[in-house]
Amino acid sequence: MSLSADSAPKLQAYAHPERLVTTDWLAEHLDDENLVVIESNEDVLLYRTGHIPGAHHVDWHLDLNDDVMRDYVSSEAFAAMCSARGITRDSTVVVYGDNFNWWAAYALWVFSLFGHPDVRLLDGGRAKWAAEGRPMTTDAPTVTPSQYPVVPRDDSTIRAFKEDVLQHIGNGPLVDVRSPGEFSGELLHMPDYPQEGVQRGGHVPTAQSVPWKRAANEDGSFKSADELRGIYEGELGMAPSDDVVTYCRIGERSSHTWFVLTYLLGFEHVRNYDGSWVEWGNAVRVPIEKPA
Amino acid sequence: MSELPPRLAEIVGEFQEVDRTERLDLLFEYAGDLPALPARFEGQELERVHECQTPLFVQTEVEDGDVVRLYFAAPDEAPTSKGFAGIIYAGLDGCTIDEILATPSDFAQAMGLNEVISPLRMRSVGAILARVKRQLMERAAA
């Protein structure tokens, strides 16, 4: 059975408070039988330096992506990954990670592609847990492997492909969550990162720029529902019934914004374009907007 | 590939012999083995390796005319960058200037780490070595 939702007051203003837990809630429920905690980081070795007691590691590179095709893992591989961590279809899965939960949100999004019913994010992620002086350990979690069912991956509801984005231009809001320099085409990559790997800079025509980080507080937690509404509904003029596509460079930062729009603001049709700029900026003859 | 200094060649071989998960274990061991920055560098501005996603600083010194000493600073919370620095330290500290300058910047390609670490991250290995080499060449030109 799923665990009860976190009743912290801050969360109740969000559209789907049951998709988020506070560090207080997690600390209280760490020993609950039906809870599986997952850490997923940009730095794939970080988990080994210490993690929340009992938390399992999910490596975005090895566990979520297919090792040959540029795609997510198969239904069979996803089931095996979950089974090895003792996750059942009834488990409450709480995900957290480094870098403001970028990869945690990405992992949560991949779990959602497979329709895992109850997967939540830890508000503030690894940084907030550590900053509060809560326990971390290098002890490997004990696990009784489970039998996670082989379920189909639904790529049509929350995932957008290049062709979908082409169709979407002029038909609905596109949110580019990269840094302003990447949006303008001045940078091909995040600031201070190597500027290689993408042929062209700029953004998808009609896209609006809202860097992902605007949704986060400095401690890594999400801004309040009112603040978020002010940004996405106020400034951008989007409405929860809009068909929205988010993208970034490879789909991880845009998973963060996908989470915000879908679960914190209750937008009903948000798709994450995981091909993102690495695909778009390398594709032949797709339209690009770039200020002169 | 031109010849690697013997210790670095051994390390590359070590990585080749193990499977994917063990490669990450090894990288983590090299992160743990990287010596702390000597206290005498405290307060000095070291060169930052901007190509790494997390803070990493590198400083070279030359002893006895051509023996290179490598120093790195990286936070414990940045184990991947620290692991890369650890490999370069273990493989190249104590080598001669010429040996280091002759080390191909893409030596890590042969380690199979690109199967377990993202391409973006992997580029920082070459970047660390490139900065080491540049410091040595600047010193030679000075």
Side-chain angles (χ1 to χ4, degrees):
Chain A
M1 280 308 293
S2 284
L3 304 187
S4 59
D6 185 347
S7 59
K10 175 199 169 185
L11 308 188
Q12 305 319 308
Y14 295 130
H16 295 280
E18 75 280 7
R19 290 297 182 168
L20 205 57
V21 301
T22 57
T23 48
D24 279 339
W25 184 94
L26 185 59
E28 221 170 275
H29 289 82
L30 266 190
D31 296 329
D32 287 12
E33 209 167 284
N34 206 40
L35 175 77
V36 179
V37 182
I38 281 178
E39 175 167 330
S40 203
N41 299 317
E42 192 280 322
D43 191 324
V44 297
L45 293 183
L46 188 58
Y47 171 85
R48 295 163 197 242
T49 67
H51 50 81
I52 294 178
H56 294 264
H57 187 219
V58 168
D59 181 319
W60 65 273
H61 206 73
L62 297 180
D63 296 319
L64 300 179
N65 280 269
D66 186 86
D67 57 2
V68 179
M69 204 168 27
R70 188 174 171 200
D71 201 359
Y72 297 100
V73 287
S74 65
S75 298
E76 290 74 16
F78 182 77
M81 188 273 286
C82 289
S83 300
R85 289 159 181 77
I87 301 171
T88 71
R89 200 67 175 161
D90 294 327
S91 298
T92 293
V93 176
V94 170
V95 196
Y96 73 98
D98 65 355
N99 255 351
F100 291 81
N101 271 338
W102 281 5
W103 293 102
Y106 180 86
L108 182 146
W109 179 74
V110 174
F111 268 78
S112 305
L113 289 176
F114 289 98
H116 187 83
D118 185 6
V119 53
R120 314 177 188 183
L121 212 52
L122 174 66
D123 197 24
R126 184 182 161 102
K128 190 163 190 287
W129 179 276
E132 290 168 351
R134 296 181 189 269
M136 304 282 266
T137 179
T138 52
D139 294 347
T142 51
V143 61
T144 313
S146 58
Q147 287 287 319
Y148 198 89
V150 175
V151 288
R153 194 180 73 209
D154 175 7
D155 286 338
S156 65
T157 311
I158 59 170
R159 186 178 186 192
F161 294 91
K162 185 175 114 236
E163 295 70 27
D164 301 322
V165 178
L166 274 169
Q167 290 290 319
H168 197 71
I169 297 172
N171 292 315
L174 266 161
V175 185
D176 184 319
V177 315
R178 297 173 302 162
S179 58
E182 292 172 273
F183 182 78
S184 70
E186 182 193 327
L187 298 177
L188 293 173
H189 214 304
M190 291 171 266
D192 295 336
Y193 284 47
Q195 304 297 314
E196 300 160 31
V198 185
Q199 300 282 324
R200 296 299 162 106
H203 56 263
V204 179
T206 75
Q208 293 178 282
S209 168
V210 184
W212 65 275
K213 206 176 184 175
R214 291 198 56 199
N217 294 313
E218 273 314 305
D219 68 356
S221 63
F222 288 109
K223 285 189 176 156
S224 71
D226 280 345
E227 289 172 299
L228 295 174
R229 258 192 296 274
I231 297 168
Y232 298 98
E233 296 179 23
E235 285 176 39
L236 257 59
M238 298 196 300
S241 57
D242 284 348
D243 186 358
V244 182
V245 173
T246 62
Y247 72 92
C248 60
R249 192 183 66 89
I250 51 172
E252 87 292 21
R253 288 176 285 175
S254 48
S255 304
H256 188 270
T257 301
W258 169 84
F259 182 89
V260 168
L261 293 173
T262 302
Y263 291 129
L264 304 187
L265 294 181
F267 279 54
E268 287 153 35
H269 309 284
V270 186
R271 286 174 293 166
N272 180 25
Y273 169 39
D274 57 276
S276 275
W277 199 257
V278 163
E279 179 179 44
W280 198 271
N282 283 321
V284 175
R285 217 180 255 181
V286 296
I288 290 179
E289 210 165 70
K290 189 175 176 179
Chain B
M1 193 189 272
S2 59
E3 217 171 286
L4 296 180
R7 180 67 191 116
L8 188 60
E10 269 175 46
I11 296 171
V12 171
E14 256 180 340
F15 276 87
Q16 285 170 340
E17 278 163 25
V18 298
D19 71 22
R20 301 198 315 176
T21 315
E22 288 167 334
R23 268 174 224 157
L24 288 173
D25 293 335
L26 259 184
L27 184 61
F28 189 58
E29 283 174 29
Y30 279 100
D33 291 344
L34 181 70
L37 189 70
R40 64 192 167 89
F41 286 107
E42 250 168 58
Q44 283 189 39
E45 199 168 316
L46 305 183
E47 177 172 345
R48 177 160 183 183
V49 184
H50 284 286
E51 293 84 355
C52 291
Q53 272 90 334
T54 44
L56 177 71
F57 299 87
V58 59
Q59 183 63 47
T60 56
E61 283 185 345
V62 178
E63 288 174 357
D64 304 329
D66 72 343
V67 176
V68 178
R69 292 289 163 201
L70 299 173
Y71 302 98
F72 294 96
D76 289 340
E77 304 75 52
T80 296
S81 296
K82 213 175 159 188
F84 293 155
I87 287 170
I88 290 177
Y89 173 81
L92 296 178
D93 181 65
C95 286
T96 65
I97 296 174
D98 286 346
E99 282 177 310
I100 292 181
L101 291 181
T103 301
S105 291
D106 62 353
F107 77 91
Q109 291 289 327
M111 300 171 84
L113 278 170
N114 48 333
E115 291 168 36
V116 289
I117 301 278
S118 72
L120 182 62
R121 280 274 187 179
M122 281 309 293
R123 281 205 287 267
S124 56
V125 184
I128 298 168
L129 183 55
R131 285 174 186 270
V132 165
K133 289 183 185 181
R134 210 211 56 248
Q135 286 189 11
L136 295 175
M137 285 189 289
E138 281 174 3
R139 182 175 278 109

